[in-house]
């Protein structure tokens, strides 16, 4: 989990607006989508760490690389961080129609938020059922995802065209 968080942090450390200024406008836009996706992936890894261990070390791209002992965040602090990250980036991510196969789209951010809210009572002591329902409705109302009529379609080797898959790995 933390190896992947470190990879995301390293990418983000090198993809600041100042760093990408030398690229064309189109390339900068693409890098910004990658940056949002890296932030999503980091939030996903922190979600897994939260789910498995609760109170965990926390580090971002803004922390020193050497001689640094990261602070230990509570489950509430990690929950708040994941929630704020996902809310900040979900509109910067590509929608399903423009997102290449195997990459995280906006639907993945909405889904991770829904999962976070679904388990909020476990992590924070406060249920957030309404927020979970809102994120699920945002997914359903996007018109990009629906249940396949062929049950096996999402599980086929060549499932790139599946309207049911949200984030494939």
């Amino acid at each position: 989990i933390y190896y992947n968080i470190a990879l995301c942090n390293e990418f983000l450390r090198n993809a600041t607006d100042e760093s990408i200024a030398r690229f064309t406008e189109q390339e900068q836009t693409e890098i910004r989508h990658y940056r949002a996706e890296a932030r999503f992936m980091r939030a996903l890894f922190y979600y897994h760490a939260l789910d498995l261990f609760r109170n965990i070390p926390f580090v971002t791209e803004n922390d020193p690389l050497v001689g640094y002992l990261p602070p230990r965040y509570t489950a509430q602090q990690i929950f708040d961080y994941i929630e704020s990250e996902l809310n900040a980036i979900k509109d910067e991510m590509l929608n399903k129609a423009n997102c290449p196969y195997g990459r995280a789209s906006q639907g993945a951010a909405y889904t991770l938020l829904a999962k976070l809210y679904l388990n909020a009572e476990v992590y924070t002591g406060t249920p957030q059922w309404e927020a979970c329902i809102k994120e699920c409705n945002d997914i359903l109302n996007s018109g990009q995802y629906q249940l396949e009529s062929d049950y096996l379609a999402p599980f086929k080797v060549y499932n790139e065209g599946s309207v049911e898959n949200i984030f494939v790995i």
Side-chain angles (χ1 to χ4, degrees), residues 33-34 36-38 40-41 44 89 92-96 98-109 145 166-169:
H33 290 304
Y34 281 121
E37 194 172 341
F40 164 79
M41 294 302 295
L44 176 63
I89 62 162
E92 296 174 17
M93 296 178 72
L94 296 171
N95 63 26
K96 181 178 176 144
N98 298 319
C99 191
Y101 182 78
R103 288 185 49 196
S105 66
Q106 288 173 333
Y145 304 98
I166 294 179
F167 179 46
V168 294
I169 299 177

Side-chain angles (χ1 to χ4, degrees), residues 20-132:
I20 65 173
R22 61 188 164 95
F23 293 96
T24 67
E25 193 61 40
Q26 181 182 0
E27 291 169 331
Q28 288 181 37
T29 300
E30 189 172 343
I31 292 169
R32 286 186 186 98
H33 290 304
Y34 281 121
R35 191 167 57 195
E37 194 172 341
R39 290 173 67 187
F40 164 79
M41 294 302 295
R42 180 175 60 186
L44 176 63
F45 298 130
Y46 270 122
Y47 175 82
H48 290 308
L50 168 67
D51 196 48
L52 291 169
F53 304 109
R54 296 296 184 270
N55 301 323
I56 55 174
F58 179 77
V59 64
T60 69
E61 73 276 13
N62 299 317
D63 294 319
L65 295 173
V66 179
Y68 176 72
L69 184 62
R72 184 176 182 207
Y73 273 30
T74 65
Q76 178 71 58
Q77 289 172 303
I78 295 294
F79 179 95
D80 293 342
Y81 171 77
I82 295 169
E83 179 184 34
S84 67
E85 265 305 86
L86 293 172
N87 282 319
I89 62 162
K90 63 185 176 185
D91 292 330
E92 296 174 17
M93 296 178 72
L94 296 171
N95 63 26
K96 181 178 176 144
N98 298 319
C99 191
Y101 182 78
R103 288 185 49 196
S105 66
Q106 288 173 333
Y110 287 117
T111 302
L112 184 55
L113 265 172
K115 194 171 180 178
L116 185 70
Y117 292 139
L118 182 66
N119 295 303
E121 188 171 11
V122 174
Y123 304 140
T124 68
T126 305
Q128 294 198 28
W129 309 117
E130 294 81 18
C132 177

